[in-house]
Amino acid sequence: MSNRAWLFLIPALVLLSISAFIPLMTVINYSLHYIFAGSAPTYVGFENYVEVLNDPAFLKALGRQMVFSLMILVVEVPLGIGIALAMPRKGKGVALTLVFLGIPLLIPFNVVGIIARVFTQSSIGVVPEFFALFNYDYNVSLHTTDAILTIFFLDVWHWTPLVALLCYAGLQSIPDAFYQAAQIDGASAWKTFRYVTLPKLRPVLIIGVLLRFMDSFKIYAEPLLLTGGGPGDATTFLSLHVARKAESYELGYAGASSIIYLFIVIVFSYLFFQLLTNIGTGENK
Amino acid sequence: MARIQLKTISHTYHPPDLPEEEKAYAVSSLDISWGDGTSNALLGPSGCGKTTILNIISGLLQPTAGQVLVDDQDVTRLSPRQRRIAQVFQFPVVYDSMNVFDNLAFPLRNQGLPEQSVRKKVQEVAEILDLQDYLTNPPAKLNAAEKQKISLGRGIVREDTAAVLLDEPLTVIDPKLKGSMRRKLRQVQRDLQKTMIYVTHDQHEALTFADDVTIVKDGRLVQKGSPEELHSEPASPFIGYFIGSPGMNILGCSLKGEELRFQDFSLGLSPEFLSRIRGTGPDLQLGIRPEFIRVSPEPGENTVPFEVAVIENTGAYWVVTYVKESLRIKARVPESMRVQEGQKHYLAFPEDRVNLFQNEQRVI
């Protein structure tokens, strides 16, 4: 430790402890206490965890969250790959497509939520107006499926470009020789995709899947701004559920559910990472 | 296996609507023919159009003009697959998600061959290439030489392969493995009698692999012949210098009466030699290989004094650079001879080892 280079780590460590370590410890601390405003907190061990895991509202929010994230992955990843494959490789079209794809990524979550809210409002919104043309009564504050599908569509619109851009970068880095070899070997278009493109995209797909999984798993602003988690609790995803508990000063419950939440994200991210790293490498044969 | 012919092939990467005088041609009016079952090399400096020629043969590139024939059949408009031409690229191309066996089987399965024959063929090829121990391994774990063998294996596994093109296949291979890999390629070619065309800028690789070497420069064919021919009878000063290490010495000279005049010395010529070069113009270039220059510390008949400038030790012999005014000549000197910088040596140029060029063309 005599090496003074370690000193350079101090700013990063200070920032990290303020932004991550201290809050995390605080949350863990909360999760182990019964806290009621005005009186001193009492230590209750893992009681809060037991309560959270037995709470039907939490389990329902978790289930909703899982289904939602799965839908996101199933749609955004193949769609992203498809868009990347269809994008022009050279010429003026490249810059144009990149800008076009980049625009959604530049819009903050809350702005997306507000745009959606304005667009879907039953009195003035363009979306209900559009569906009215087909005699469909679109109403996000009344119909569960309308609300869920609207948030789903928002997310696909907002974040598929990220997957597409990652894949596009990945495609650009595949040397032509691989396609030429496949051509010489007489591979069909599908086989070329399956055995050249897809394996070569693996590193960017791992990043894409992990990012989209983690981000969609903490979706918050869009459902909050669109319907406040409704109608009923139809779009009360995990983050909304936890935040609501914290807002109502159930800090012990909120702390415990946050830790469980974090644990789930880590476990699934790890599983996805392992799966995507090893699948089809011939390692397990 | 098959005979490959190029007929007046030209190619430009410029768009066709560009005026003709602004187009730069990567290769122009090439006429080359490679015999059935032969081992060939396509040799030339970097950027001379070798890869363009290769891609035209394999069908990855459509030539701007000219025809490609495989066994006298015009295949210019056919796809690489239809031409049955396999290619090994500069860096190994393997399918990462398949094991070695599946890699080798890939072209056969694409042909729809029954699994039983696939297995038999793959085993055969794996044995030829010493890959039988790795068949179930993922290729990612293999070294570049083994990966390159897989690449080659996919080419030779198909019975109907007309030719295998090798595009600088040893570029990324560890120097220690280059030698054995080169011998393997040679042996595979001999055993299978498949037409192979080996593209390289490395004369050593070309000359050791091929029975027939084609030299290309600036997109044009400069000479085609056996390694011996290229070495002893180069068609131009460029080839003389390009082939051999160190290259041929090229000296400007002029024919005056019965002697060749250089900057500040002249060489007398025998009547036989004179009769062979009769009719050529006065401005000539003399070419002589470093190993054929006779070096002596004592003056002799028809010798020229030169001063030792640089001595390089190759281990087996010295390569000595001699200077005389602005002339520089390299000669191979046996290690038994004592050489010191600044020494004066007498150089003789044996007539039977001398090449004469005029206007970049060989005269004798």
Side-chain angles (χ1 to χ4, degrees), chain B residues 249-295:
Chain B
N249 295 296
I250 308 288
L251 309 170
C253 58
S254 55
L255 184 63
K256 284 274 166 65
E258 294 188 356
E259 56 183 25
L260 280 176
R261 291 237 174 108
F262 296 81
Q263 266 175 351
D264 55 355
F265 66 93
S266 50
L267 288 175
L269 299 173
S270 69
E272 307 90 79
F273 195 85
L274 271 171
S275 70
R276 283 167 68 197
I277 57 171
R278 193 167 296 142
T280 57
D283 290 324
L284 298 166
Q285 282 172 299
L286 177 141
I288 183 153
R289 296 209 168 270
E291 55 269 40
F292 298 144
I293 294 179
R294 250 186 267 135
V295 177

Side-chain angles (χ1 to χ4, degrees), chain B residues 283 302 312 357 364:
Chain B
D283 290 324
N302 220 358
E312 293 163 77
F357 303 100
I364 168 170

Side-chain angles (χ1 to χ4, degrees), chain A residues 175 177-178 180-187 191 194-196 199-200 280-283 285, chain B residues 60 80-81 85-87 89 91 93-98 102 106-107 110 138 141 154 158:
Chain A
F178 281 88
Q180 296 173 344
Q183 207 185 342
I184 289 169
D185 289 339
K191 278 191 169 176
R194 167 72 185 77
Y195 295 111
V196 176
K200 292 278 165 208
T281 51
E283 287 287 326
K285 282 183 187 172
Chain B
L60 294 169
R81 179 65 178 165
I85 287 181
Q87 188 161 349
F89 296 88
F91 56 91
V93 173
V94 292
Y95 303 106
D96 301 324
S97 58
M98 301 182 202
D102 293 336
F106 193 58
N110 288 336
K141 296 258 167 88
R154 286 204 314 271
R158 279 159 52 189

Side-chain angles (χ1 to χ4, degrees), chain B residues 1 36-37 51 91 96 112 121 134 140 142 154 175 180 203 233 263 280 286 288 290 303 310-311 325 352 355 357 363:
Chain B
M1 280 300 103
D36 185 8
T51 301
F91 56 91
D96 301 324
K121 274 308 287 183
Y134 307 116
L142 304 179
R154 286 204 314 271
S180 64
Q203 48 151 322
E233 294 166 22
Q263 266 175 351
T280 57
L286 177 141
I288 183 153
T303 60
V310 183
I311 307 164
E325 304 292 320
D352 55 336
N355 293 270
F357 303 100
V363 178

Side-chain angles (χ1 to χ4, degrees), chain A residues 205-217:
Chain A
L205 280 180
I206 292 176
I207 295 172
V209 167
L210 286 181
L211 281 179
R212 284 320 301 136
F213 170 72
M214 290 188 286
D215 273 352
S216 68
F217 213 78

Side-chain angles (χ1 to χ4, degrees), chain A residues 116-117 119-132 135-150 226-227 230-232 234-235:
Chain A
R117 189 169 182 168
F119 272 35
T120 58
Q121 214 146 66
S122 52
S123 49
I124 57 164
V126 64
V127 183
E129 202 62 32
F130 173 77
F131 279 106
N135 286 327
Y136 179 75
D137 177 24
Y138 172 91
N139 193 327
V140 285
S141 42
L142 286 179
H143 303 146
T144 312
T145 35
D146 289 358
I148 293 175
L149 287 179
T150 302
L226 189 70
T227 59
T235 56

Side-chain angles (χ1 to χ4, degrees), chain B residues 57-360:
Chain B
I57 302 171
S58 64
L60 294 169
L61 202 62
Q62 284 284 330
T64 314
Q67 288 174 302
V68 183
L69 307 183
V70 173
D71 278 341
D72 301 323
Q73 188 204 344
D74 186 353
V75 297
T76 320
R77 303 286 150 206
L78 298 186
S79 71
R81 179 65 178 165
Q82 291 164 315
R83 295 180 189 199
R84 303 172 286 119
I85 287 181
Q87 188 161 349
V88 177
F89 296 88
Q90 233 178 68
F91 56 91
V93 173
V94 292
Y95 303 106
D96 301 324
S97 58
M98 301 182 202
N99 65 20
V100 175
F101 182 94
D102 293 336
N103 257 282
L104 294 174
F106 193 58
L108 300 177
R109 287 181 179 153
N110 288 336
Q111 276 182 315
L113 225 63
E115 199 57 24
Q116 208 177 344
S117 349
V118 169
R119 202 160 303 143
K120 193 166 151 276
K121 274 308 287 183
V122 171
Q123 281 296 348
E124 252 174 63
V125 168
E127 259 159 60
I128 293 172
L129 296 172
D130 303 323
L131 286 170
Q132 62 271 50
D133 296 339
Y134 307 116
L135 283 176
T136 55
N137 290 21
K141 296 258 167 88
L142 304 179
N143 66 31
E146 282 154 349
K147 284 187 190 175
Q148 205 56 302
K149 282 190 200 165
I150 300 176
S151 238
L152 174 67
R154 286 204 314 271
I156 58 175
V157 76
R158 279 159 52 189
E159 221 137 301
D160 62 348
T161 301
V164 182
L165 310 181
L166 305 131
D167 188 1
E168 308 199 5
L170 303 182
T171 310
V172 296
I173 289 174
D174 197 72
K176 271 186 280 181
L177 297 171
K178 268 190 187 172
S180 64
M181 187 68 184
R182 205 166 41 225
R183 281 192 295 278
K184 192 83 215 172
L185 288 173
R186 187 87 186 94
Q187 180 209 332
V188 169
Q189 197 283 326
R190 290 250 167 89
D191 292 355
L192 301 181
Q193 292 290 305
K194 295 217 179 218
T195 312
M196 290 197 186
I197 302 173
Y198 187 117
V199 168
T200 179
H201 60 259
D202 183 323
Q203 48 151 322
H204 182 61
E205 283 178 22
L207 300 179
T208 48
F209 175 79
D211 296 328
D212 186 282
V213 179
T214 306
I215 297 183
V216 179
K217 190 194 173 203
D218 300 331
R220 287 171 190 281
L221 174 71
V222 273
Q223 191 171 6
K224 186 171 181 293
S226 70
E228 297 75 31
E229 273 167 21
L230 295 177
H231 195 263
S232 57
E233 294 166 22
S236 71
F238 163 74
I239 295 173
Y241 186 73
F242 189 60
I243 297 284
S245 173
M248 187 178 263
N249 295 296
I250 308 288
L251 309 170
C253 58
S254 55
L255 184 63
K256 284 274 166 65
E258 294 188 356
E259 56 183 25
L260 280 176
R261 291 237 174 108
F262 296 81
Q263 266 175 351
D264 55 355
F265 66 93
S266 50
L267 288 175
L269 299 173
S270 69
E272 307 90 79
F273 195 85
L274 271 171
S275 70
R276 283 167 68 197
I277 57 171
R278 193 167 296 142
T280 57
D283 290 324
L284 298 166
Q285 282 172 299
L286 177 141
I288 183 153
R289 296 209 168 270
E291 55 269 40
F292 298 144
I293 294 179
R294 250 186 267 135
V295 177
S296 157
E298 308 297 332
E301 197 195 334
N302 220 358
T303 60
V304 186
F306 272 80
E307 191 184 311
V308 176
V310 183
I311 307 164
E312 293 163 77
N313 190 353
T314 65
Y317 50 84
W318 313 105
V319 173
V320 179
T321 308
Y322 290 97
V323 289
K324 189 177 175 64
E325 304 292 320
S326 62
L327 268 187
R328 294 175 82 83
I329 288 185
K330 284 190 178 188
R332 208 191 261 194
V333 177
E335 270 197 316
S336 55
M337 200 166 142
R338 293 206 171 273
V339 189
Q340 268 180 336
E341 278 174 32
Q343 244 177 349
K344 193 171 268 188
H345 281 173
Y346 294 87
L347 273 52
F349 307 93
E351 276 180 0
D352 55 336
R353 297 299 198 179
V354 157
N355 293 270
L356 278 182
F357 303 100
Q358 186 173 39
N359 299 327
E360 301 294 310

